[in-house]
Amino acid sequence: MATTREIKNRINSVKNTQKITSAMYLISSTKLRKAKGELERTRPYFNQIENEIKRIFQDVDRIRSEYFYPETGRKAAETYAYLVITADKGLAGGYNHNVLKAAEEAMAKHKKVKFYVVGEYGRHYFMKHNIPIAKTFLYTAQNPTFHRAREICSLLLTEYEEKRVDEIRVIYSDMQNELVCNVRTDRILPLERRKFTVTDEKVDRPYFKFDPSAEQVLANIMRSYISGYIYGALVSSFSAEQNARMTAMDAANKNAEELLAKLSVEYNRVRQAAITQEITEVAAGAKAQRRKKKKENA
């Protein structure tokens, strides 16, 4: 049976751990609010870019672009590029595991796969399992910015335009709300033209002149659009990570409270048993002294 000192030391240890988990919970909640705020502030810009792409397709009936199905002018996809977004550290429940599971499923599905990994957790996982990595992006997971998204976009677009990869996809965690986070696998390139088609015939279609051509204007817009898409995926993953860490830390705090309650009961029981034993020993000693005096007086 543990002594009162051992139980008390364990109680202090649990309390110290609880302070850490509580601090991590507060930090994650602050980072989550900040990331969501930054995404909301930039969302109108990317929505406007998407509207401009729709306007181009409205004004020009037929555009041949390597960025859009069905008329890409490219061969059927053989080599797939996957941008895998993980965290830089653990303690976030199943956040990293679910993303890496989706990456393994993609690798089993396609013969030729190139992985572009965001996050130290993912990098260590791929290295540990001897899975080749085309490129890793350091410090991007813990600090998603539009500048970093543009760097990733530039690399992936170069790979696509020079036909070293045929399709670009991204695997990330999408936080729908505080209770639901799903792993998504989205195709970045080539895009479906029907996604940018306006079906409402009543919409006014003003005439626009494109210089040097609609195809060239569309190609210039795509870099900003894809950068925005990647930035959205980075922020969504970051938000999902913080939400998962908040959930994990909240569960850890609740477990700590339960453990402290059990340890307190055990501490009081052992302490009471020690006090009872001391009282018994004192009473037995006093009784022995009285017997000894009676014998001496007899």
Side-chain angles (χ1 to χ4, degrees):
M1 180 181 293
T3 63
T4 54
R5 174 175 291 184
E6 291 173 344
I7 297 174
K8 195 170 184 179
N9 288 339
R10 192 177 179 192
I11 290 175
N12 291 333
S13 177
V14 173
K15 287 182 177 179
N16 290 334
T17 303
Q18 193 178 30
K19 290 178 182 178
I20 296 173
T21 55
S22 298
M24 292 180 67
Y25 179 90
L26 294 175
I27 292 171
S28 294
S29 63
T30 302
K31 289 182 177 180
L32 176 60
R33 287 195 300 270
K34 182 180 178 182
K36 291 174 70 175
E38 290 178 354
L39 182 61
E40 289 301 321
R41 286 192 294 271
T42 57
R43 192 182 298 276
Y45 170 73
F46 300 118
N47 289 341
Q48 188 60 37
I49 292 178
E50 184 173 338
N51 291 335
E52 293 302 318
I53 296 175
K54 291 180 180 179
R55 182 179 296 176
I56 293 174
F57 284 134
Q58 281 181 323
D59 295 336
V60 182
D61 294 331
R62 194 176 185 86
I63 295 180
R64 186 181 179 87
S65 173
E66 63 176 337
Y67 302 113
F68 289 88
Y69 278 132
E71 299 180 16
T72 63
R74 299 170 67 96
K75 64 179 181 180
E78 293 182 358
T79 305
Y80 294 80
Y82 277 88
L83 177 64
V84 182
I85 303 176
T86 64
D88 283 332
K89 52 189 175 183
L91 298 177
Y95 168 80
N96 291 301
H97 172 75
N98 294 334
V99 172
L100 294 172
K101 182 180 178 182
E104 288 183 343
E105 291 174 354
M107 187 170 57
K109 184 178 180 181
H110 306 296
K111 292 182 179 179
K112 297 181 180 179
V113 178
K114 289 185 175 181
F115 287 113
Y116 300 81
V117 182
V118 174
E120 281 295 292
Y121 195 99
R123 185 177 72 86
H124 286 298
Y125 180 88
F126 279 81
M127 292 179 63
K128 181 179 179 181
H129 291 79
N130 296 320
I131 300 174
I133 301 175
K135 175 68 176 178
T136 58
F137 302 96
L138 301 178
Y139 312 118
T140 303
Q142 62 183 341
N143 185 25
T145 62
F146 186 60
H147 175 70
R148 296 180 187 275
R150 291 181 63 182
E151 290 179 350
I152 297 172
C153 171
S154 178
L155 174 63
L156 293 178
L157 269 182
T158 300
E159 293 285 288
Y160 182 80
E161 291 168 351
E162 295 181 358
K163 297 184 179 181
R164 289 194 286 267
V165 299
D166 303 311
E167 276 195 20
I168 301 175
R169 300 185 181 186
V170 56
I171 302 175
Y172 68 103
S173 295
D174 181 32
M175 193 184 79
Q176 298 180 0
N177 53 57
E178 293 182 357
L179 299 176
V180 180
C181 292
N182 296 324
V183 175
R184 294 184 54 173
T185 301
D186 295 343
R187 185 176 64 204
I188 300 179
L189 285 176
L191 294 166
E192 290 283 354
R193 175 170 175 168
R194 60 186 177 184
K195 177 183 176 182
F196 300 89
T197 302
V198 179
T199 57
D200 190 355
E201 297 295 335
K202 297 180 181 180
V203 176
D204 294 333
R205 298 187 179 184
Y207 174 75
F208 288 92
K209 183 178 180 180
F210 300 98
D211 185 34
S213 65
E215 288 81 1
Q216 188 62 43
V217 172
L218 182 62
N220 291 335
I221 291 177
M222 288 307 299
R223 187 169 295 273
S224 295
Y225 176 78
I226 295 172
S227 296
Y229 195 100
I230 293 174
Y231 176 66
L234 290 172
V235 175
S236 183
S237 293
F238 182 77
S239 300
E241 176 196 349
Q242 303 308 321
N243 186 67
R245 184 164 289 113
M246 287 170 60
T247 302
M249 294 304 102
D250 184 56
N253 286 332
K254 291 179 179 177
N255 291 337
E257 290 292 342
E258 294 178 1
L259 183 57
L260 286 174
K262 293 179 180 179
L263 288 173
S264 296
V265 172
E266 184 179 357
Y267 175 80
N268 292 332
R269 181 168 54 82
V270 173
R271 180 170 174 270
Q272 188 62 45
I275 293 173
T276 302
Q277 184 178 355
E278 289 178 1
I279 293 173
T280 303
E281 291 175 353
V282 170
K287 188 176 181 180
Q289 288 293 331
R290 287 196 298 269
R291 288 178 180 177
K292 183 179 179 181
K293 288 183 179 180
K294 288 182 180 179
K295 289 181 180 180
E296 291 177 350
N297 295 332

